[in-house]
Amino acid sequence: MKKNRFRLALVPAVSSAMLAFGCGQSQPAPPAASFSDSSPVCVDSQGRRVPDDRCRDRSPTFYHWYHSSHGGAFVPIGGSAGGRSFSHGSSSHPSSVTRGGFGSSAHSSGAGA
Amino acid sequence: MERIPIAPRPNWQAEVEGLGLVWHTAEGKPYWNESAYYSFTAGEIDEIEGATAELQRLCLEAGQAIVDRNLFDRLGLPAWVVPFVRRAWNDEPPALFHGRFDLGYDGRNPPKLFEYNCDTPTALFEAAVVQWDWKEAVLPKRDQFNSLHEKLVAKWRDIAPSFLTRNIHFTHIDDEPGEDTITVTYLRDTALQAGLESTPILIDDVGWDSARHRFVDLDNRPIDVLFHLYPWEWLVNETFGPHIAESYDSMHWIEPIWKMLWSNKALLAILWEMFPDHPNLLPAFFEPRGGDYVRKPLLAREGANITVVQNGRTIAETGGDYGEEGFVYQQLFALPDFDGNRPVLGSWIVDGEPAGMGIREGGLVTGNTGRFVPHVFTSSR
């Protein structure tokens, strides 16, 4: 079973970023440095923000996580997260692209087994 | 098989964090537990490796039986998924073909299968990297059942020519402990060492382009190959689920959708039907048959919604959101007890072959709070 030394490049970088941002503390860890800096909020089918619990439960889904790609400005409950829908609102994105259709079943503790 | 107490390295937290194991402590207790290790003989490792290969063979036969005899209703799969599962099973699209058998083993009797985690298996990074680094630092003259890293790199290298792109997208959830993030990042590392490129994307950020009928990344580039640490049963039941069918011919999923056959605990009852009294299986049924048993939801993860019944009484029960899909009832196995520590072996498969082992300790039910304990074995027989 002898093996070569590991030559990992990505794991040390990502884990260091997570530690720097407080992973392991009581607050949720932010996305690793190499990921999007988007800030998810839970929205209904009209793009209005609703309590995040509705996106976390596993009932038939009418709610979606919305990821702002513009710094994650604060959106109050009932406020509009992205204009018309939960799709990206940036004009640089094709209007045919929607996001948030995966991820609603996830538990914060992970998706692994 | 022995459990041997040993003093942890004084700076063990920094040592494992340096490798990337940032979730080494959970709720104030070590998840990575190097205050003991398990020691095996070479013969015992041969037995575990042989049982792992045998169980993989049985699962292949069971998967073929499900497809040939149209047993999909036992798994509770959505009807629209079945043709894609059947097609993927027959086509064998390129994949890592990896997974983790959870086994009960006491060093005296044949290993017994608890379940097969082959869709989104975790505890991979600590098995492949962290426990090997510990062995090299603490017991360098001993050996370890562990060729995970080499086999993962080799498998990426093997399947790379199958893809039209060198760029693989990797997705997972934004998990608080960091386990999923680092597990996927580790797999990105192994792909990188095989000459591939990788793009990370959180599962919530995966986009659907209705004009091109393609899943896209945050730059709106079509995703050609997607590694997902996100269960198939979640993917197919979410809002974008039907788009999987719509775009099936234009992208590769790693692992493939046929893994729904094996990650479903109905597999345990089907295996027992096909191979009754097999030495590596525990009796398992779709309904309780008396005796002491463990009731498991068909789709539960991380030890959720497990009920342990002994002498007609529930002696342990875990919470969770699973069970609507149905249950299997598996004969209770008495885990070996090392001063209150009960090990479950996680025996790994990569490319369909045994590839190493990790051990987690827990109580009657080993969930996501189990402790990972390293192991070694003696090479001489």
Side-chain angles (χ1 to χ4, degrees):
Chain A
M1 302 290 174
K2 302 300 181 193
K3 53 171 50 179
N4 299 324
R5 292 182 62 184
F6 298 104
R7 293 176 291 104
L8 303 181
L10 298 172
V11 171
V14 171
S15 61
S16 296
M18 296 182 80
L19 286 169
F21 283 102
C23 177
Q25 308 303 314
S26 57
Q27 71 273 26
S34 57
F35 296 115
S36 161
D37 64 351
S38 62
S39 177
V41 297
C42 185
V43 299
D44 64 15
S45 59
Q46 303 302 308
R48 292 177 301 237
R49 186 174 184 190
V50 296
D52 289 350
D53 288 351
R54 298 189 190 178
C55 283
R56 293 193 183 107
D57 75 33
R58 304 180 67 244
S59 59
T61 174
F62 296 99
Y63 303 100
H64 310 274
W65 288 110
Y66 174 88
H67 276 259
S68 165
S69 60
H70 310 295
F74 175 75
V75 181
I77 300 293
S80 172
R84 290 167 291 127
S85 72
F86 54 88
S87 62
H88 273 272
S90 167
S91 60
S92 63
H93 296 158
S95 59
S96 58
V97 173
T98 54
R99 299 184 194 277
F102 283 141
S104 61
S105 307
H107 304 273
S108 60
S109 59
Chain B
M1 179 182 182
E2 296 177 275
R3 186 182 192 275
I4 300 174
I6 189 173
R9 292 169 289 179
N11 56 342
W12 68 268
Q13 292 97 335
E15 293 286 349
V16 300
E17 280 177 10
L19 294 169
L21 189 70
V22 292
W23 66 97
H24 55 68
T25 302
E27 299 174 358
K29 298 177 182 176
Y31 163 69
W32 169 260
N33 178 15
E34 59 172 71
S35 68
Y37 66 91
Y38 283 89
S39 180
F40 295 84
T41 66
E44 289 167 339
I45 292 296
D46 286 346
E47 183 170 38
I48 294 164
E49 185 175 24
T52 303
E54 170 67 357
L55 287 167
Q56 182 74 2
R57 185 187 72 79
L58 300 185
C59 288
L60 283 167
E61 288 201 34
Q64 194 64 53
I66 294 169
V67 170
D68 291 345
R69 293 157 52 194
N70 204 27
L71 303 177
F72 297 99
D73 58 327
R74 294 187 174 190
L75 281 64
L77 302 186
W80 70 266
V81 166
V82 170
F84 294 95
V85 171
R86 183 188 296 279
R87 181 174 158 192
W89 177 267
N90 290 328
D91 291 351
E92 297 183 38
L96 294 177
F97 208 23
H98 73 313
R100 191 192 75 238
F101 287 110
D102 282 350
L103 306 175
Y105 182 61
D106 59 9
R108 298 185 298 277
N109 300 294
K112 301 284 191 183
L113 174 66
F114 293 153
E115 59 191 51
Y116 195 9
N117 298 294
C118 63
D119 184 12
T120 58
T122 49
L124 172 63
F125 178 65
E126 45 272 53
V129 172
V130 184
Q131 71 167 345
W132 181 266
D133 183 77
W134 170 88
K135 184 204 81 72
E136 291 290 88
V138 178
L139 296 169
K141 294 182 179 176
R142 302 291 295 275
D143 210 336
Q144 190 174 84
F145 178 27
N146 188 354
S147 56
L148 274 160
H149 185 78
E150 292 84 345
K151 283 191 164 73
L152 287 166
V153 173
K155 189 56 184 172
W156 281 119
R157 194 172 286 130
D158 176 45
I159 63 178
S162 308
F163 307 128
L164 294 175
T165 176
R166 305 293 292 174
N167 186 25
I168 314 295
H169 285 77
F170 288 75
T171 193
H172 60 89
I173 72 165
D174 181 11
D175 62 325
E176 290 176 19
E179 180 180 12
D180 290 19
T181 302
I182 296 299
T183 298
V184 171
T185 306
Y186 171 59
L187 284 163
R188 288 175 58 204
D189 250 322
T190 59
L192 185 72
Q193 291 182 35
L196 291 163
E197 299 166 4
S198 72
T199 300
I201 181 169
L202 295 175
I203 189 70
D204 315 65
D205 287 335
V206 172
W208 172 253
D209 188 331
S210 58
R212 288 182 287 179
H213 304 280
R214 296 292 306 271
F215 288 110
V216 296
D217 64 15
L218 280 169
D219 295 323
N220 296 313
R221 293 178 301 170
I223 296 173
D224 296 315
V225 184
L226 182 64
F227 177 93
H228 56 102
L229 190 72
Y230 196 77
W232 270 111
E233 69 265 19
W234 292 359
L235 288 169
V236 302
N237 284 308
E238 294 184 355
T239 306
F240 279 176
H243 298 322
I244 294 168
E246 201 175 338
S247 58
Y248 186 82
D249 289 328
S250 56
M251 71 181 283
H252 287 282
W253 294 82
I254 300 175
E255 295 285 282
I257 195 169
W258 68 256
K259 281 293 185 81
M260 294 184 85
L261 300 178
W262 286 359
S263 61
N264 190 303
K265 292 181 182 58
L267 175 74
L268 301 171
I270 293 170
L271 281 169
W272 186 252
E273 275 181 16
M274 294 178 65
F275 309 103
D277 301 321
H278 190 284
N280 298 126
L281 297 177
L282 291 167
F285 309 97
F286 287 103
E287 67 287 326
R289 295 282 183 94
D292 301 336
Y293 63 85
V294 180
R295 190 183 76 163
K296 299 179 175 184
L298 298 185
L299 298 176
R301 321 187 77 76
E302 301 275 21
N305 297 100
I306 302 292
T307 303
V308 182
V309 175
Q310 193 171 39
N311 299 322
R313 289 178 51 246
T314 297
I315 59 169
E317 199 167 18
T318 59
D321 301 327
Y322 299 95
E324 288 181 11
E325 69 278 14
F327 297 91
V328 294
Y329 301 79
Q330 186 181 53
Q331 186 180 84
L332 180 62
F333 176 87
L335 283 169
D337 188 336
F338 295 91
D339 297 325
N341 301 291
R342 300 167 186 265
V344 173
L345 310 188
S347 191
W348 283 90
I349 289 279
V350 176
D351 194 15
E353 296 181 352
M357 179 172 72
I359 300 174
R360 287 184 300 167
E361 294 179 335
L364 282 173
V365 178
T366 303
N368 60 0
T369 57
R371 301 174 303 276
F372 192 102
V373 183
H375 80 274
V376 294
F377 74 90
T378 305
S379 299
S380 58
R381 289 167 195 280

